[in-house]
Amino acid sequence: MGFPDVATFLYRLGRLAFGRRWYVALMWVAVLAAVGLGAMKAPAAADEGFSMPGIESQKAYDLLGERFPGTTAEGATARVVFVAPDGQKVTASDNRAAVEKAVAELGDGTQVADVADPFRAKAVSKDGSTAYATVTFKVKSADVTDASRTALQNAVDQAREAGLTVEAGGSAMDSGGGPGGVAEIVGISVAAVVLLVTFGSLVAAGLPLLTAILGVGVSLFTIMTLAEPLGLSTTTSTLAMMLGLAVGIDYALFVVSRYREERARGHDPEEAAGLAVGTAGSAVVFAGLTVVIALAGLAVVGIPMLTKMGLAAAGAVVVAVLIALTMVPALLGFWPGAVLSGAARGKGRGRRLPFARTRNTGKSGSDNGGTRWARLVLRRPVPVLLLGVLGLGALAIPMTGLQLGMSGDEAKSTSTTERRAYDDLADGFGPGFNGPLTIVVDAKGTADAKSAVSAISEKVAGTKGIVSVSPAHFNKAQDTAVFTATPSTSPTDEKTKTLVKTIRAERPAIETTADASFEVTGTTALNIDIAGKVQAALVPYLITVVGLAVVLLLVVFRSLLVPLKAAVGFLLSVLAALGAVVLVFQQGHAASLFGVEQTGPIMSLMPIFLVGIVFGLAMDYEVFLVSRMREAYVHGESAEQAVVSGFRHSARVVVAAALIMVAVFAGFIGESDSMIKMIGFGLACAVLFDAFVVRMAIVPAVLALVGDKAWWLPKWLDRILPRVDVEGEALTRHPAEPVPLAAAEDEPAEARV
C-alpha cells in the first residue's frame, strides 16, 4: 500500500511550472491582487472578546448576558487616574477643580457615552491621594477613533498642567492595528545575509525571500478579508505572518538548493527543476503537512481564539508549500542559471539523460563543514549524546515551576501611560484593585432574593484575602444580582489564585445557607480558569502530537528507532524552550535584555501554541536531514557513511534554514504585545535547540551508536504501513515524459545549451 506517484506528480508539476512560468507567475500575481483588493474593502474584525466554553467564568459571563441584556456588549472603557502632588489630596479645592474640569472635557467626545465623576462615584482612595474617572464609550475598543483618543489625551494633558499626575488605561487605549513591520524587516535582513552566504549568489538569495514575501502577502490579505466574518484578531495575523515568513523562506530554500545540486550533476534547467520539486518538494509537502496537522490540531483544546490562530497559521503554511512547488520553479524558469554560483555557471553544461542519478559512494565530493562535523560526532558519539541531553535537560528544569496566567497592563513598559495608571491605582487602592472578582448570584426561584444575595455577600466579604465588596446590583427581574469583591493581592499573585479556589470550595455551604447559587468570574477569575484548562490540556495535547510524530515518521522512514528518537528529541527541545521562557519571563533572568518590563505568569495560550508549532518545525529538520541519510543508505552505503553523506548534502542548508527561522522569530521579541514577544522568544529558542542540538548532534550520535538497527522495521509492519516516497525513488524507476514542443520553444537559450 502506498502512494508511488507523489514524487512523479510533483516532478511533472515542477517541469510544468518551469515551462509555463508566465502563466504561473501571472496566476500568483492575480491571486495577490484579488485578496489585496478584498482586504482593502473588507471591514475590520468585530471585537468578539475572549471566550472559552466549559469553564465557570465563562458560564457566569453567559448568565450575565442572559439576565442583564446588553451588559456584556457594552462599549470600550478608559480609566483616567488622578494623583495629587506629594502631601496633598485630590479633594483639595484646586485639585478637585482640575479633576472636575478634566471630567467635563472627557465627556465632550462624540463617541463618549458617559463619564463617572470620581467624587460622586466614591472613586477616591481612603488617604485622598488618588481618584479615578471611568469613561464609557458608545463603541467597542476596535471602533474608538484616533480623534477620540486624542481628545482624551488632551484632557489628560490639561489636568497635568494643573499640577496633578494623570494617567489613563483601559480597553479604549488599545489602538490595535496590524503588525508593526520592524520584526519582519529584521528577520528578512538576517535571512538575506544567511542566504547570500549559503548560496554565494544574489539571485539565489533573493528568490526565497521574494516567494516568501509573496506567500505572506497572500496569507495576510486573505486573513484581513476574512477577519470580520471569522472574527480573526490582530494576534492571529501576526502569528500567521511569523510562521508563514519563516517556512516560506525555508521551503523555497530547500527547493532552490536541490535545483542547484541537480544542475551540478549535469541536468538541464527544466529537468533539474522537475527533480528538485519531485525530491525536495516531496519533503516540503510532508514537512508542511506536519505543521498544518499540528496547528489545526489546536482545535481539540476547545479554545476558540487558539483554534483561529492555529487555522490561520496553518493556512499560511499551505500557501508557503504551494508557492514552493509552483512559483519557485517558475522563477527558476526565468533565471535558470542566475541562481548558480559563479563557479557552477562557468562549468560545462553537458545534458544528461532524464533521471540519470549519480550514486553516492560516500567518498566523492569535497569535504565541507557538515562532513567534518558528522565525522567528529561519529568518532565521539557518547560524549556528544550525553552533553546534548544533559544540556537540554538542565534548561528544561525551570519548566517544572511553570505558572500560567494572562497578563494585562502590568506587563507593559513603564514608559506607557497604561502601565503607570495600573501602578497608580495599585498604590492608591491596593494591589487587588486592578483585578476585582465579579460574583454573579442566581436567586431565581428563591423566596427572598435580597436576603439571599446579602447572605452571600457577607460570607464572601468575610473570606480571608478579601478587603472589600461592593453593593449588589440587581437586574430588572430582581432574580439575579452582581457585586465585586476586591482581593488584597494583585491579579497575577498566586495568593489570588488560592483565594478564588477557596471561595469556590466554600460555595456549597454558602449556597445551602443562602438558598441561592453563585459563580465567581471577572477578568482575574477568567484568567485563572483559562490557565487551569490550558495546563490540563497541555500534557494530553503533547502526547497526541508526539504520537502523531511517531506514526508519520514510521511511514516516511520505514524505521522503528528513527521516529522514537525524533519524538524524544522533540520533547527535549520543547521542554528546554519552555524552561528558557520561564527563566526569562517568569523568573526574570536576563529579562532586561529582551525588553521584559515585568515578570509574572507565562501567557496561558503560549505553551500549547509553541508545542504545536515546534512539532512541525522539528519534523521539518528531521525530514530534510534524515531523508538524505536514508537515501544514501538504501543506495548501498553503510549506516555510518550514510550519516556523513546526509550531512554533506543537507547540513549547510538545514543550518541556513534554522538560522533564518531563529532570526525571523527573534525579530518578534521586539513587539509590544507580551504574547507575541513570548512566542517569538520561545520559538527562537526551540528552533535553536532542535536544529543545532537535537538534529545536528543528538541524531547523528544515536545513529552512530545503533548502526544498521536504526533502519530496521518488522516485516509485518512494513506490509501494513503506506509508502510515501519522500526521497523521490520513483523518479529513478520511471522514464521522464518528453518535453512538449511548446515548452521547449519557450525554453531560455541557456537551458538549450
Side-chain angles (χ1 to χ4, degrees):
M1 180 173 61
F3 308 95
D5 292 329
V6 171
T8 303
F9 169 77
L10 292 177
Y11 163 79
R12 292 170 180 167
L13 178 63
R15 287 175 62 98
L16 180 65
F18 187 99
R20 297 287 185 266
R21 47 195 168 274
W22 278 108
Y23 295 103
V24 173
L26 290 174
M27 178 196 72
W28 277 111
V29 170
V31 170
L32 179 64
V35 294
L37 185 62
M40 291 175 59
K41 295 186 175 181
D47 184 12
E48 296 180 347
F50 187 91
S51 65
M52 180 181 286
I55 59 175
E56 178 176 327
S57 297
Q58 189 62 49
K59 293 177 183 177
Y61 272 126
D62 294 341
L63 181 62
L64 281 173
E66 177 188 339
R67 304 287 177 86
F68 293 83
T71 300
T72 57
E74 289 179 352
T77 60
R79 184 173 281 175
V80 182
V81 186
F82 304 90
V83 181
D86 291 342
Q88 298 184 28
K89 296 184 178 182
V90 290
T91 52
S93 57
D94 290 347
N95 293 333
R96 179 166 183 156
V99 171
E100 289 177 340
K101 181 180 179 182
V103 169
E105 291 177 353
L106 289 169
D108 287 341
T110 56
Q111 290 187 313
V112 175
D114 181 58
V115 180
D117 187 301
F119 303 108
R120 297 180 182 178
K122 298 181 180 180
V124 180
S125 63
K126 290 182 179 179
D127 62 4
S129 64
T130 309
Y132 66 90
T134 302
V135 184
T136 305
F137 288 80
K138 301 174 184 177
V139 297
K140 296 180 180 180
S141 58
D143 299 321
V144 176
T145 63
D146 290 338
S148 294
R149 292 191 183 94
T150 300
L152 188 149
Q153 189 60 50
N154 290 338
V156 167
D157 291 340
Q158 290 187 19
R160 286 173 179 168
E161 292 176 359
L164 298 173
T165 298
V166 189
E167 307 294 347
S171 61
M173 301 300 293
D174 183 9
S175 59
V182 176
E184 294 85 335
I185 293 173
V186 171
I188 290 174
S189 300
V190 175
V193 174
V194 172
L195 289 169
L196 187 58
V197 172
T198 301
F199 286 137
S201 163
L202 283 173
V203 176
L207 192 149
L209 294 176
L210 177 63
T211 55
I213 292 171
L214 172 64
V216 167
V218 171
S219 302
L220 188 59
F221 287 147
T222 302
I223 290 172
M224 293 170 65
T225 302
L226 301 175
E228 196 276 333
L230 299 183
L232 304 178
S233 64
T234 301
T235 302
T236 300
S237 302
T238 306
L239 292 171
M241 178 180 293
M242 178 193 298
L243 197 56
L245 183 62
V247 300
I249 294 174
D250 277 6
Y251 292 166
L253 166 64
F254 290 122
V255 174
V256 172
S257 177
R258 191 60 183 249
Y259 171 81
R260 284 160 54 100
E261 185 179 325
E262 297 298 339
R263 287 294 304 275
R265 289 177 173 178
H267 291 295
D268 65 55
E270 184 168 354
E271 179 70 8
L275 289 171
V277 176
T279 52
S282 296
V284 164
V285 169
F286 177 81
L289 178 63
T290 62
V291 182
V292 169
I293 291 174
L295 293 171
L298 292 170
V300 304
V301 180
I303 305 174
M305 176 183 174
L306 192 61
T307 300
K308 292 175 183 178
M309 290 162 63
L311 292 177
V317 173
V318 170
V319 171
V321 170
L322 293 175
I323 285 181
L325 299 178
T326 57
M327 190 62 171
V328 170
L331 292 179
L332 291 174
F334 286 113
W335 303 284
V339 298
L340 305 180
S341 64
R345 287 196 297 270
K347 292 181 181 179
R349 299 181 180 88
R351 183 183 179 109
R352 290 194 177 190
L353 293 175
F355 298 111
R357 304 283 294 278
T358 57
R359 175 180 173 181
N360 289 326
T361 65
K363 298 179 182 178
S364 61
S366 60
D367 285 357
N368 56 27
T371 304
R372 291 190 292 272
W373 170 252
R375 288 174 177 164
L376 173 65
V377 174
L378 291 175
R379 287 196 300 268
R380 299 286 188 273
V382 175
V384 170
L385 179 61
L386 289 176
L387 188 62
V389 172
L390 292 177
L392 293 180
L395 279 172
I397 291 175
M399 196 266 183
T400 58
L402 175 69
Q403 297 176 6
L404 298 181
M406 296 288 283
S407 57
D409 287 345
E410 76 277 7
K412 294 182 178 180
S413 168
T414 51
S415 63
T416 64
T417 185
E418 295 94 330
R419 168 64 186 277
R420 294 195 297 268
Y422 180 97
D423 291 341
D424 289 342
L425 288 170
D427 292 339
F429 296 89
F433 183 82
N434 286 297
L437 306 177
T438 301
I439 312 298
V440 183
V441 181
D442 185 359
K444 195 171 186 178
T446 303
D448 189 347
K450 290 187 177 181
S451 296
V453 171
S454 179
I456 292 174
S457 179
E458 289 176 5
K459 289 291 185 180
V460 171
T463 305
K464 184 179 179 181
I466 295 293
V467 296
S468 64
V469 296
S470 69
H473 173 62
F474 280 83
N475 64 343
K476 291 182 178 180
Q478 297 292 303
D479 61 2
T480 308
V482 59
F483 64 89
T484 60
T486 304
S488 60
T489 50
S490 68
T492 57
D493 196 307
E494 281 294 300
K495 293 180 180 178
T496 306
K497 182 178 179 179
T498 302
L499 173 63
V500 172
K501 291 181 178 179
T502 299
I503 294 174
R504 288 172 174 171
E506 296 174 350
R507 179 166 47 196
I510 298 174
E511 290 179 342
T512 300
T513 303
D515 191 27
S517 63
F518 72 92
E519 292 174 318
V520 183
T521 187
T523 303
T524 300
L526 179 65
N527 291 340
I528 292 171
D529 290 347
I530 291 171
K533 181 168 182 177
V534 171
Q535 201 147 13
L538 185 58
V539 173
Y541 179 69
L542 195 58
I543 293 173
T544 302
V545 167
V546 171
L548 180 62
V550 171
V551 172
L552 289 174
L553 294 180
L554 270 174
V555 172
V556 172
F557 295 120
R558 326 296 299 177
S559 161
L560 279 178
L561 184 63
V562 169
L564 293 175
K565 170 222 17 132
V568 173
F570 162 66
L571 282 174
L572 281 172
S573 56
V574 165
L575 295 178
L578 286 174
V581 170
V582 171
L583 276 174
V584 174
F585 290 87
Q586 184 175 308
Q587 298 179 3
H589 300 288
S592 59
L593 267 174
F594 301 99
V596 180
E597 297 281 346
Q598 180 70 34
T599 59
I602 304 305
M603 300 291 286
S604 297
L605 302 182
M606 184 268 173
I608 204 162
F609 198 79
L610 182 141
V611 167
I613 295 176
V614 173
F615 162 71
L617 300 183
M619 296 309 102
D620 279 2
Y621 301 127
E622 183 75 11
V623 171
F624 289 119
L625 186 61
V626 181
S627 63
R628 295 307 296 267
M629 297 179 189
R630 183 176 184 273
E631 183 178 353
Y633 183 78
V634 298
H635 279 93
E637 293 187 13
S638 67
E640 184 174 296
Q641 190 57 50
V643 173
V644 176
S645 295
F647 269 81
R648 176 184 296 114
H649 292 294
S650 301
R652 188 177 185 185
V653 178
V654 169
V655 167
L659 289 175
I660 290 168
M661 286 273 194
V662 171
V664 171
F665 293 143
F668 286 86
I669 298 174
E671 291 287 314
S672 59
D673 186 289
S674 55
M675 183 171 181
I676 297 299
K677 183 188 290 286
M678 278 188 192
I679 289 180
F681 176 83
L683 288 176
C685 289
V687 171
L688 190 68
F689 299 152
D690 195 85
F692 294 101
V693 181
V694 175
R695 310 302 155 190
M696 303 293 287
I698 293 178
V699 166
V702 171
L703 292 177
L705 290 172
V706 299
D708 292 324
K709 294 179 182 178
W711 309 107
W712 176 78
L713 184 69
K715 291 182 179 179
W716 63 269
L717 187 57
D718 185 57
R719 290 192 297 267
I720 294 173
L721 292 175
R723 296 185 178 273
V724 178
D725 186 15
V726 175
E727 297 89 0
E729 281 300 305
L731 302 184
T732 65
R733 298 192 299 269
H734 302 291
E737 291 187 342
V739 181
L741 179 60
E745 291 174 350
D746 288 341
E747 196 172 36
E750 179 187 356
R752 298 197 296 268
V753 174

